[in-house]
Amino acid sequence: MLLERLTTACGLPGFEDEVRNIIKEELADFVDSIKIDRMGNLIAVKNAAATGKHIALNAHMDEVGLCVRYIESDGRIRFASWGVDRRLLPSMRVLVGEKKTLGVIGAKPIHLQTESERNSTVAIDSLYIDIGCDKKEEVEKLVNLGDFAAFNSKFTEFGENRIKAKALDDRVGCATIIEVLKSDIPHKVTGIFCVQEEIGIRGSAVAANGLSADILINLEGTIGADLDGIKPHEHVTTQGGGPAISIADRSSLYFRKHIDEIIAVAEKNSIPWQYRRSGMGGTDAHNYHLAKTGTPCIGLAVPCRYIHSPVSTMHKSDFENLVKLVKAYVAEFGGK
């Protein structure tokens, strides 16, 4: 399964190679060209010579995780967090560096903690990765400063049409673009797979300045907080409710004209949809909106519970309906 391959791959900011190679392999026989720019963004063009409207699709390849910043003399690895909630870290299993060395995140055992320590979140400076080595010299044979540490999480299908995996944000967007580019569409479509989104939407800042398109659809995994104890207006999205359409977020305001267009396509094709009901978070769309003379953008996303964790979950139908909606919109808009 494509989504399983993509989420199993490790691809922290600056280390997206494994994800990028899967995408290249998947698209090799379906597009006219594939190039990788100096930042590491992968850009694939289908039907380059087609007339009509040119649609671009964007998703980011990187995921949240940890970065090695110091190795203690006794072999413990100190780390920095790249977008991970520190409350999740104690006892987490990780894969460190290019060799994917298995490690566990350790902390002072509860028996030795003071009362105040037991009642508070453990600080990152008090945590470490243990890869089973007792000496710094042994660790350095396997791990270097600056190496990534990715979640060690198995892709699993469970419950009623659900998927559990790491990095659904944003491998679900990458998988959507791949499925669209593999389909039989007559219009020019550019698929952009960006790097370093999770540390400041850096890759798209470069990709946006090389793009000339009539419209861009940014594809994401987004917050699904439809859970007990969270007020309904704070759910943001609802799993199983279809792809979520953004009105605004922290970095973009989407044109109502294009929001109405894609809603009309969804309604025409009986594709369920919902609004993304929050202004939190920012996406790569920000850079496309502002680069050069500006590219109009649409923001679409799949609701993901427990996002930015090893156990993100999604409803398979939301992903399937996202693919249907993008294909339908490309067919409609590209022919205008």
Coordinates of all heavy atoms in Angstrom, one line a residue, residues 104-181:
V104 N 15.4 4.0 22.8 CA 14.3 4.3 23.6 C 14.6 5.6 24.4 O 15.7 5.8 24.8 CB 13.9 3.1 24.6 CG1 13.5 1.9 23.9 CG2 15.1 2.8 25.5
I105 N 13.5 6.4 24.6 CA 13.7 7.6 25.4 C 13.5 7.3 26.9 O 12.4 6.8 27.3 CB 12.8 8.7 24.9 CG1 13.1 9.0 23.4 CG2 12.9 9.9 25.7 CD1 12.2 10.0 22.8
G106 N 14.5 7.6 27.6 CA 14.5 7.3 29.1 C 14.4 8.6 29.9 O 14.8 9.7 29.5
A107 N 14.1 8.4 31.2 CA 14.0 9.4 32.2 C 14.2 8.8 33.5 O 14.2 7.6 33.7 CB 12.7 10.2 32.1
K108 N 14.3 9.7 34.5 CA 14.5 9.2 35.9 C 13.2 8.4 36.3 O 12.1 8.8 36.0 CB 14.6 10.4 36.9 CG 14.8 10.0 38.3 CD 14.6 11.2 39.3 CE 15.6 12.3 39.1 NZ 15.4 13.3 40.1
P109 N 13.4 7.2 36.8 CA 12.2 6.3 37.2 C 11.4 7.0 38.2 O 11.8 7.8 39.1 CB 12.9 5.1 37.7 CG 14.3 5.4 38.1 CD 14.7 6.5 37.2
I110 N 10.1 6.7 38.2 CA 9.1 7.3 39.1 C 9.5 7.1 40.6 O 9.2 8.0 41.4 CB 7.7 6.8 38.8 CG1 6.7 7.7 39.5 CG2 7.5 5.3 39.2 CD1 5.2 7.4 39.1
H111 N 10.1 6.0 40.9 CA 10.5 5.7 42.3 C 11.4 6.8 42.9 O 11.5 7.0 44.1 CB 11.1 4.4 42.4 CG 10.4 3.3 41.7 ND1 10.5 3.2 40.3 CD2 9.7 2.2 42.1 CE1 9.8 2.1 39.9 NE2 9.3 1.5 41.0
L112 N 12.2 7.4 42.0 CA 13.2 8.4 42.4 C 12.8 9.8 42.2 O 13.6 10.7 42.6 CB 14.6 8.1 41.7 CG 15.1 6.7 41.9 CD1 16.5 6.6 41.1 CD2 15.4 6.3 43.3
Q113 N 11.6 10.0 41.7 CA 11.2 11.4 41.4 C 10.7 12.0 42.7 O 10.1 11.4 43.5 CB 10.1 11.4 40.3 CG 10.6 11.0 39.0 CD 9.5 10.9 38.0 OE1 8.3 11.3 38.3 NE2 9.8 10.3 36.8
T114 N 10.9 13.3 42.8 CA 10.3 14.1 43.9 C 8.8 14.3 43.6 O 8.3 14.0 42.4 CB 10.9 15.5 44.0 OG1 10.6 16.2 42.8 CG2 12.4 15.4 44.2
E115 N 8.0 14.7 44.6 CA 6.6 14.9 44.3 C 6.3 15.9 43.2 O 5.4 15.7 42.4 CB 5.9 15.4 45.6 CG 4.4 15.5 45.5 CD 3.7 15.9 46.8 OE1 4.4 15.9 47.9 OE2 2.5 16.1 46.8
S116 N 7.1 17.0 43.2 CA 6.9 18.0 42.2 C 7.2 17.5 40.8 O 6.6 17.8 39.8 CB 7.7 19.3 42.5 OG 9.1 18.9 42.5
E117 N 8.2 16.6 40.7 CA 8.6 16.0 39.4 C 7.5 15.1 38.9 O 7.2 15.0 37.7 CB 9.9 15.2 39.5 CG 11.1 16.1 39.7 CD 12.4 15.3 39.9 OE1 12.3 14.2 40.6 OE2 13.5 15.8 39.5
R118 N 6.9 14.3 39.9 CA 5.8 13.4 39.5 C 4.6 14.1 39.0 O 3.8 13.6 38.2 CB 5.4 12.5 40.6 CG 6.5 11.4 41.0 CD 5.9 10.3 41.9 NE 5.5 10.9 43.2 CZ 6.3 10.9 44.2 NH1 7.5 10.5 44.1 NH2 5.8 11.4 45.4
N119 N 4.4 15.3 39.4 CA 3.2 16.1 39.0 C 3.4 17.1 37.9 O 2.6 18.0 37.7 CB 2.7 16.8 40.3 CG 2.2 15.8 41.3 OD1 1.6 14.8 41.0 ND2 2.4 16.1 42.6
S120 N 4.6 17.0 37.2 CA 4.8 17.9 36.2 C 5.4 17.2 34.9 O 5.8 16.1 35.1 CB 5.8 19.0 36.6 OG 7.1 18.4 37.0
T121 N 5.3 17.9 33.8 CA 5.9 17.3 32.6 C 7.4 17.3 32.6 O 8.0 18.2 33.0 CB 5.4 18.1 31.4 OG1 4.0 18.2 31.3 CG2 5.9 17.5 30.1
V122 N 8.0 16.1 32.2 CA 9.4 16.0 32.2 C 10.0 17.0 31.2 O 9.6 17.0 30.0 CB 9.9 14.6 31.9 CG1 11.4 14.4 32.0 CG2 9.2 13.6 32.9
A123 N 11.0 17.7 31.6 CA 11.7 18.7 30.7 C 12.6 17.9 29.7 O 13.1 16.8 30.1 CB 12.6 19.6 31.5
I124 N 12.7 18.4 28.5 CA 13.5 17.7 27.5 C 14.9 17.5 27.9 O 15.6 16.5 27.7 CB 13.4 18.5 26.1 CG1 12.0 18.2 25.5 CG2 14.5 18.0 25.2 CD1 11.9 18.9 24.2
D125 N 15.5 18.5 28.7 CA 16.8 18.4 29.2 C 17.0 17.3 30.1 O 18.2 16.9 30.4 CB 17.2 19.7 29.8 CG 17.6 20.8 28.8 OD1 17.7 20.5 27.6 OD2 17.7 22.0 29.2
S126 N 15.9 16.7 30.7 CA 16.0 15.6 31.6 C 15.8 14.2 30.9 O 15.9 13.2 31.5 CB 15.0 15.7 32.7 OG 15.2 16.9 33.5
L127 N 15.6 14.3 29.6 CA 15.4 13.1 28.8 C 16.6 12.7 28.0 O 17.4 13.6 27.7 CB 14.2 13.2 27.9 CG 12.8 13.5 28.6 CD1 11.8 13.9 27.6 CD2 12.4 12.3 29.4
Y128 N 16.7 11.5 27.5 CA 17.8 11.1 26.7 C 17.4 9.9 25.9 O 16.4 9.2 26.2 CB 19.0 10.7 27.5 CG 18.7 9.8 28.7 CD1 18.8 8.4 28.5 CD2 18.4 10.2 29.9 CE1 18.5 7.5 29.5 CE2 18.1 9.4 31.0 CZ 18.1 8.0 30.7 OH 17.8 7.1 31.7
I129 N 18.1 9.6 24.8 CA 17.9 8.4 24.0 C 18.9 7.4 24.4 O 20.1 7.7 24.5 CB 18.0 8.7 22.5 CG1 16.9 9.7 22.1 CG2 17.8 7.4 21.7 CD1 17.1 10.2 20.7
D130 N 18.5 6.2 24.7 CA 19.3 5.0 25.1 C 19.3 4.0 23.9 O 18.3 3.5 23.6 CB 18.8 4.4 26.3 CG 19.6 3.3 26.9 OD1 20.5 2.8 26.1 OD2 19.4 2.9 28.0
I131 N 20.5 3.8 23.3 CA 20.6 2.9 22.2 C 21.3 1.6 22.6 O 21.7 0.8 21.8 CB 21.3 3.4 20.9 CG1 22.7 3.8 21.2 CG2 20.5 4.6 20.4 CD1 23.5 4.2 19.9
G132 N 21.5 1.5 23.9 CA 22.1 0.2 24.5 C 23.6 0.2 24.5 O 24.2 -0.9 24.6
C133 N 24.2 1.4 24.4 CA 25.7 1.5 24.5 C 26.1 2.2 25.8 O 25.4 3.1 26.2 CB 26.3 2.2 23.3 SG 26.0 1.4 21.7
D134 N 27.2 1.7 26.4 CA 27.6 2.3 27.7 C 28.7 3.3 27.6 O 29.1 4.0 28.6 CB 28.1 1.2 28.6 CG 27.0 0.2 29.0 OD1 25.9 0.6 29.1 OD2 27.3 -1.0 29.1
K135 N 29.3 3.5 26.4 CA 30.4 4.4 26.2 C 30.1 5.3 25.0 O 29.5 4.9 24.0 CB 31.7 3.7 26.0 CG 32.2 2.9 27.2 CD 33.5 2.3 26.9 CE 34.1 1.6 28.2 NZ 33.2 0.5 28.7
K136 N 30.5 6.6 25.1 CA 30.4 7.5 24.0 C 31.0 7.0 22.7 O 30.4 7.1 21.6 CB 31.0 8.8 24.4 CG 30.9 9.9 23.3 CD 31.6 11.2 23.8 CE 31.5 12.3 22.8 NZ 32.1 13.6 23.2
E137 N 32.1 6.3 22.8 CA 32.8 5.8 21.6 C 32.0 4.8 20.9 O 32.1 4.7 19.6 CB 34.2 5.3 22.0 CG 35.2 6.3 22.6 CD 34.9 6.7 24.0 OE1 34.1 6.0 24.7 OE2 35.3 7.8 24.4
E138 N 31.3 4.0 21.6 CA 30.4 3.0 21.0 C 29.2 3.6 20.3 O 28.9 3.2 19.1 CB 30.0 2.0 22.0 CG 31.1 1.1 22.6 CD 31.8 0.3 21.6 OE1 31.1 -0.3 20.7 OE2 33.0 0.3 21.6
V139 N 28.7 4.6 20.9 CA 27.5 5.3 20.3 C 28.0 6.0 19.0 O 27.3 6.0 17.9 CB 27.0 6.4 21.2 CG1 25.9 7.3 20.5 CG2 26.4 5.7 22.4
E140 N 29.2 6.6 19.0 CA 29.7 7.4 17.8 C 29.9 6.5 16.6 O 30.1 7.0 15.5 CB 30.9 8.1 18.2 CG 30.6 9.3 19.1 CD 31.9 10.0 19.6 OE1 32.9 9.4 19.6 OE2 31.8 11.2 19.9
K141 N 30.0 5.2 16.8 CA 30.1 4.3 15.7 C 28.8 4.1 14.9 O 28.7 3.7 13.7 CB 30.5 2.9 16.1 CG 31.9 2.8 16.7 CD 32.3 1.4 17.2 CE 33.6 1.4 17.9 NZ 33.9 0.0 18.4
L142 N 27.7 4.5 15.6 CA 26.3 4.4 15.0 C 25.6 5.7 14.8 O 24.7 5.8 13.9 CB 25.5 3.5 15.9 CG 26.0 2.1 16.2 CD1 25.2 1.5 17.4 CD2 25.9 1.2 15.0
V143 N 26.0 6.7 15.6 CA 25.2 8.0 15.6 C 26.1 9.1 15.5 O 27.2 9.1 16.2 CB 24.3 8.0 16.9 CG1 23.6 9.4 17.0 CG2 23.3 6.9 16.9
N144 N 25.7 10.2 14.8 CA 26.5 11.4 14.7 C 25.7 12.6 15.3 O 24.4 12.6 15.2 CB 26.9 11.7 13.3 CG 27.8 10.7 12.7 OD1 28.8 10.4 13.2 ND2 27.4 10.1 11.5
L145 N 26.4 13.6 15.7 CA 25.6 14.9 16.1 C 24.9 15.4 14.8 O 25.4 15.4 13.7 CB 26.6 15.9 16.6 CG 27.4 15.6 17.9 CD1 28.2 16.8 18.3 CD2 26.4 15.3 19.0
G146 N 23.7 15.8 15.0 CA 22.9 16.3 13.9 C 22.0 15.3 13.3 O 21.2 15.6 12.4
D147 N 22.2 14.0 13.6 CA 21.4 12.9 13.1 C 19.9 13.1 13.5 O 19.6 13.6 14.6 CB 21.8 11.5 13.5 CG 23.0 11.0 12.7 OD1 23.3 11.6 11.7 OD2 23.6 10.0 13.1
F148 N 19.0 12.6 12.7 CA 17.6 12.6 13.1 C 17.3 11.4 14.0 O 18.0 10.4 14.1 CB 16.7 12.5 11.9 CG 16.8 11.2 11.1 CD1 16.1 10.1 11.6 CD2 17.5 11.1 9.9 CE1 16.1 8.9 10.9 CE2 17.5 9.9 9.2 CZ 16.9 8.8 9.7
A149 N 16.2 11.5 14.7 CA 15.6 10.4 15.4 C 14.1 10.4 15.1 O 13.4 11.4 15.5 CB 15.8 10.5 16.9
A150 N 13.6 9.4 14.4 CA 12.3 9.4 13.9 C 11.5 8.4 14.8 O 12.0 7.5 15.4 CB 12.2 8.9 12.5
F151 N 10.2 8.6 14.9 CA 9.3 7.7 15.6 C 9.4 6.3 15.0 O 9.4 6.1 13.8 CB 7.8 8.1 15.5 CG 7.5 9.5 16.0 CD1 6.6 10.3 15.3 CD2 8.1 9.9 17.2 CE1 6.3 11.5 15.8 CE2 7.8 11.2 17.7 CZ 6.8 12.0 17.0
N152 N 9.5 5.3 15.9 CA 9.5 3.9 15.4 C 8.0 3.4 15.6 O 7.6 3.0 16.7 CB 10.4 3.0 16.3 CG 10.5 1.6 15.8 OD1 10.1 1.3 14.7 ND2 10.9 0.7 16.7
S153 N 7.3 3.5 14.6 CA 5.8 3.3 14.6 C 5.4 2.5 13.4 O 5.7 2.8 12.3 CB 5.1 4.6 14.7 OG 3.7 4.4 14.7
K154 N 4.6 1.4 13.7 CA 4.2 0.5 12.6 C 2.9 1.0 12.0 O 1.9 1.3 12.7 CB 4.1 -0.9 13.1 CG 3.7 -2.0 12.1 CD 3.6 -3.4 12.7 CE 3.3 -4.4 11.6 NZ 3.2 -5.7 12.2
F155 N 2.8 1.0 10.7 CA 1.5 1.3 10.0 C 0.5 0.2 10.3 O 0.8 -1.0 10.1 CB 1.8 1.3 8.5 CG 0.6 1.6 7.6 CD1 0.2 2.9 7.2 CD2 -0.2 0.5 7.2 CE1 -0.9 3.1 6.4 CE2 -1.3 0.7 6.4 CZ -1.7 2.0 6.0
T156 N -0.7 0.5 10.8 CA -1.6 -0.5 11.2 C -3.0 -0.1 10.7 O -3.4 1.1 10.9 CB -1.7 -0.6 12.7 OG1 -0.3 -0.9 13.2 CG2 -2.6 -1.8 13.1
E157 N -3.8 -1.0 10.1 CA -5.2 -0.8 9.9 C -6.0 -1.4 11.0 O -5.7 -2.5 11.4 CB -5.6 -1.4 8.5 CG -4.9 -0.8 7.3 CD -5.5 -1.2 6.0 OE1 -6.7 -1.3 5.9 OE2 -4.7 -1.5 5.1
F158 N -6.9 -0.6 11.6 CA -7.6 -1.1 12.7 C -9.1 -0.5 12.8 O -9.4 0.4 12.0 CB -6.9 -0.8 14.0 CG -7.0 0.7 14.4 CD1 -7.7 1.1 15.5 CD2 -6.3 1.7 13.6 CE1 -7.8 2.5 15.8 CE2 -6.3 3.0 14.0 CZ -7.1 3.4 15.1
G159 N -9.9 -1.1 13.7 CA -11.2 -0.6 13.9 C -12.1 -0.5 12.7 O -12.0 -1.4 11.8
E160 N -12.9 0.5 12.6 CA -13.8 0.7 11.5 C -13.1 1.6 10.4 O -13.3 2.9 10.5 CB -15.1 1.3 12.0 CG -15.9 0.4 12.9 CD -17.2 1.0 13.3 OE1 -17.5 2.1 12.9 OE2 -17.9 0.3 14.1
N161 N -12.4 1.0 9.5 CA -11.8 1.7 8.4 C -10.8 2.8 8.8 O -10.7 3.8 8.1 CB -13.0 2.4 7.6 CG -12.7 2.4 6.1 OD1 -11.9 1.6 5.6 ND2 -13.3 3.4 5.4
R162 N -10.1 2.5 9.9 CA -9.1 3.5 10.4 C -7.6 3.0 10.1 O -7.4 1.8 9.9 CB -9.2 3.7 11.9 CG -10.5 4.2 12.4 CD -10.8 5.6 11.8 NE -11.6 6.4 12.7 CZ -12.9 6.3 12.8 NH1 -13.6 5.4 12.1 NH2 -13.6 7.1 13.6
I163 N -6.7 4.0 10.0 CA -5.3 3.7 9.8 C -4.6 4.4 11.0 O -4.9 5.6 11.3 CB -4.8 4.3 8.5 CG1 -5.3 3.3 7.3 CG2 -3.3 4.4 8.4 CD1 -5.0 3.9 6.0
K164 N -3.6 3.8 11.5 CA -2.7 4.3 12.5 C -1.3 4.3 11.9 O -0.8 3.3 11.4 CB -2.7 3.5 13.8 CG -1.8 4.1 14.9 CD -0.4 3.8 14.9 CE -0.1 2.3 15.1 NZ 1.3 1.9 15.1
A165 N -0.6 5.5 12.0 CA 0.8 5.6 11.4 C 1.4 6.9 11.9 O 0.8 7.8 12.4 CB 0.8 5.6 9.9
K166 N 2.7 6.9 11.8 CA 3.4 8.2 12.0 C 3.3 9.0 10.7 O 3.1 8.4 9.6 CB 4.9 8.0 12.4 CG 5.8 7.5 11.3 CD 7.2 7.5 11.7 CE 8.1 7.0 10.6 NZ 8.2 7.9 9.4
A167 N 3.6 10.3 10.8 CA 3.8 11.1 9.6 C 2.7 11.1 8.6 O 2.8 11.4 7.4 CB 5.1 10.6 8.8
L168 N 1.4 10.9 9.1 CA 0.3 11.1 8.2 C 0.3 12.6 7.7 O -0.2 12.9 6.7 CB -1.0 10.8 8.9 CG -1.3 9.3 9.1 CD1 -2.5 9.1 10.0 CD2 -1.4 8.5 7.8
D169 N 0.8 13.5 8.6 CA 1.1 14.9 8.2 C 2.6 14.9 7.8 O 3.4 14.9 8.6 CB 0.9 15.8 9.4 CG 1.3 17.2 9.2 OD1 1.4 17.6 8.0 OD2 1.6 17.9 10.2
D170 N 2.9 14.8 6.5 CA 1.9 15.0 5.4 C 2.1 14.0 4.3 O 2.0 14.3 3.1 CB 2.1 16.4 4.8 CG 1.1 16.8 3.8 OD1 0.0 16.3 3.8 OD2 1.4 17.7 2.9
R171 N 2.4 12.7 4.7 CA 2.5 11.7 3.7 C 1.1 11.5 3.0 O 1.1 11.0 1.9 CB 3.1 10.4 4.3 CG 4.4 10.6 5.0 CD 5.6 11.0 4.1 NE 6.6 11.6 4.8 CZ 7.4 11.0 5.7 NH1 7.3 9.7 6.0 NH2 8.4 11.7 6.3
V172 N 0.0 11.8 3.7 CA -1.3 11.7 3.1 C -1.4 12.6 1.9 O -2.0 12.3 0.9 CB -2.4 11.9 4.2 CG1 -2.5 13.3 4.7 CG2 -3.8 11.5 3.6
G173 N -0.8 13.8 2.1 CA -0.8 14.8 1.0 C 0.1 14.3 -0.2 O -0.3 14.4 -1.4
C174 N 1.2 13.7 0.2 CA 2.1 13.2 -0.9 C 1.4 12.1 -1.6 O 1.5 12.0 -2.9 CB 3.4 12.6 -0.2 SG 4.4 13.9 0.5
A175 N 0.7 11.1 -0.9 CA 0.0 10.0 -1.5 C -1.1 10.5 -2.5 O -1.3 10.0 -3.6 CB -0.5 9.1 -0.5
T176 N -1.7 11.6 -2.1 CA -2.8 12.1 -2.9 C -2.3 12.7 -4.2 O -2.8 12.4 -5.3 CB -3.5 13.3 -2.2 OG1 -4.1 12.8 -1.0 CG2 -4.6 13.9 -3.0
I177 N -1.2 13.4 -4.2 CA -0.6 13.9 -5.4 C -0.1 12.8 -6.3 O -0.4 12.8 -7.5 CB 0.6 14.9 -5.1 CG1 0.1 16.1 -4.3 CG2 1.3 15.3 -6.4 CD1 1.3 17.0 -3.9
I178 N 0.5 11.8 -5.8 CA 0.9 10.6 -6.5 C -0.3 10.0 -7.2 O -0.2 9.7 -8.5 CB 1.7 9.6 -5.7 CG1 3.0 10.2 -5.2 CG2 1.9 8.3 -6.4 CD1 3.7 9.4 -4.1
E179 N -1.4 9.7 -6.5 CA -2.5 9.1 -7.1 C -3.1 10.0 -8.2 O -3.5 9.5 -9.3 CB -3.6 8.9 -6.0 CG -3.2 7.9 -5.0 CD -3.1 6.4 -5.5 OE1 -3.4 6.2 -6.6 OE2 -2.8 5.6 -4.7
V180 N -3.1 11.3 -8.1 CA -3.6 12.2 -9.1 C -2.7 12.1 -10.4 O -3.2 12.0 -11.5 CB -3.8 13.6 -8.6 CG1 -4.2 14.6 -9.7 CG2 -4.8 13.7 -7.5
L181 N -1.4 12.2 -10.1 CA -0.5 12.2 -11.3 C -0.5 10.9 -12.0 O -0.1 10.8 -13.2 CB 0.9 12.6 -10.8 CG 1.1 14.0 -10.3 CD1 2.5 14.2 -9.8 CD2 0.8 15.0 -11.5

